[in-house]
Amino acid sequence: DIHMTQSPSSLSASVGDRVTITCRASQSINSYLNWYQQKPGKAPKLLIYDASSLQSGVPSRFSGSGSGTDFTLTISSLQPEDFATYYCQQSYGVPLSFGGGTKVEIK
Amino acid sequence: EVQLVQSGAEVKKPGESLRISCKGSGYSFSTYWITWVRQMPGKGLEWMGWIDPSDSYSNYSPSFQGHVTISADRSISTVYLQWSSLKASDTAMYYCARSKGFYSGNDYWGQGTLVTVSS
């Protein structure tokens, strides 16, 4: 099974900050990496697919990069509505797997 | 408008059976796979398995294999997740979500079904 490790598990940031979340796979997953945002009491929302492709309707301040085993989600200028938990997910091999999540909180 | 609408919250006793549902609308149901994801209280997301509604091919995470069954009824655009014998540890929110295929992300999600198992 492919294990996904996210870091940090939580972070505090201010509106306008640049935020970076990393995700590492236990083996190469090419670019089959997705990022989701989840707010309390809500279903996850797809932000980025195939490591760097922006899902339709997602603001351009979100971007993804990486391939192989190391990936990054960047929020260029944090907005109030971005405070949430973010998950990476590999869709390279079954069982698919999620990272443990990164909670982005208000500083 | 694409929608995945899940059945309502359930409260069950250990050992009881349960089937929850996920109904798709606003798209060609058979052309997207449906995944089930578990989220235990205060915890992260866990991939349970998926089904291709076009032929009912399904695949499960080893963590859930043998404990749940995923099935589909194309005629009513609905996918099911069922248990034959619930445990207290099955208490969680369950989400369905669609994907275009094996390597794709889940672009639409259901609202979630809360399952509570308690004696």
Side-chain angles (χ1 to χ4, degrees), chain A residues 66-103:
Chain A
S67 66
T69 60
D70 293 312
F71 302 87
T72 300
L73 174 71
T74 299
I75 310 172
S76 60
S77 178
L78 197 66
Q79 298 302 300
E81 60 268 31
D82 301 337
F83 291 95
T85 301
Y86 294 83
Y87 294 92
C88 62
Q89 178 205 36
Q90 66 83 14
S91 51
Y92 176 76
V94 173
L96 276 63
S97 47
F98 293 90
T102 297
K103 187 173 184 179

Side-chain angles (χ1 to χ4, degrees), chain A residues 11-98:
Chain A
L11 65 89
S12 294
S14 300
V15 172
D17 283 354
R18 182 181 182 88
V19 169
T20 299
I21 298 168
T22 63
C23 181
R24 174 165 288 178
S26 60
Q27 66 182 73
S28 177
I29 57 171
N30 292 340
S31 295
Y32 298 116
L33 190 284
N34 310 301
W35 290 99
Y36 299 89
Q37 175 194 67
Q38 187 180 32
K39 297 181 179 179
K42 299 294 187 181
K45 172 187 176 182
L46 179 64
L47 300 176
I48 301 286
Y49 63 94
D50 293 348
S52 60
S53 297
L54 192 68
Q55 174 67 5
S56 175
V58 174
S60 59
R61 63 180 179 272
F62 291 93
S63 64
S65 64
S67 66
T69 60
D70 293 312
F71 302 87
T72 300
L73 174 71
T74 299
I75 310 172
S76 60
S77 178
L78 197 66
Q79 298 302 300
E81 60 268 31
D82 301 337
F83 291 95
T85 301
Y86 294 83
Y87 294 92
C88 62
Q89 178 205 36
Q90 66 83 14
S91 51
Y92 176 76
V94 173
L96 276 63
S97 47
F98 293 90

Side-chain angles (χ1 to χ4, degrees), chain A residues 1 32 34 36 38 41-44 46 49-50 55 87 89 91-98 100, chain B residues 37 39 43-47 50 59-62 95 102-112:
Chain A
D1 295 4
Y32 298 116
N34 310 301
Y36 299 89
Q38 187 180 32
K42 299 294 187 181
L46 179 64
Y49 63 94
D50 293 348
Q55 174 67 5
Y87 294 92
Q89 178 205 36
S91 51
Y92 176 76
V94 173
L96 276 63
S97 47
F98 293 90
Chain B
V37 173
Q39 188 166 38
K43 302 298 184 182
L45 304 172
E46 300 175 89
W47 188 87
W50 59 16
N59 210 326
Y60 298 86
S61 166
Y95 293 103
F102 191 100
Y103 297 110
S104 301
N106 298 110
D107 61 351
Y108 282 88
W109 292 66
Q111 82 277 20

Side-chain angles (χ1 to χ4, degrees), chain B:
Chain B
E1 179 193 7
V2 174
Q3 284 190 306
L4 295 174
V5 178
Q6 299 185 227
S7 49
E10 300 274 1
V11 179
K12 292 287 189 179
K13 290 180 167 51
E16 291 187 332
S17 62
L18 175 65
R19 189 177 76 169
I20 62 175
S21 65
C22 171
K23 182 175 177 61
S25 62
Y27 71 99
S28 179
F29 184 70
S30 294
T31 61
Y32 286 80
W33 295 22
I34 297 291
T35 293
W36 286 98
V37 173
R38 183 175 79 174
Q39 188 166 38
M40 300 177 77
K43 302 298 184 182
L45 304 172
E46 300 175 89
W47 188 87
M48 301 177 68
W50 59 16
I51 191 165
D52 179 352
S54 69
D55 60 6
S56 289
Y57 168 80
S58 59
N59 210 326
Y60 298 86
S61 166
S63 299
F64 297 93
Q65 179 90 46
H67 186 53
V68 299
T69 301
I70 300 172
S71 59
D73 186 340
R74 282 186 302 165
S75 69
I76 55 171
S77 301
T78 300
V79 169
Y80 302 98
L81 177 67
Q82 67 182 64
W83 296 258
S84 59
S85 181
L86 286 159
K87 306 175 183 177
S89 56
D90 293 318
T91 294
M93 182 71 80
Y94 293 87
Y95 293 103
C96 65
R98 76 167 200 178
S99 62
K100 188 59 176 173
F102 191 100
Y103 297 110
S104 301
N106 298 110
D107 61 351
Y108 282 88
W109 292 66
Q111 82 277 20
T113 296
L114 180 62
V115 174
T116 303
V117 184
S118 175
S119 55

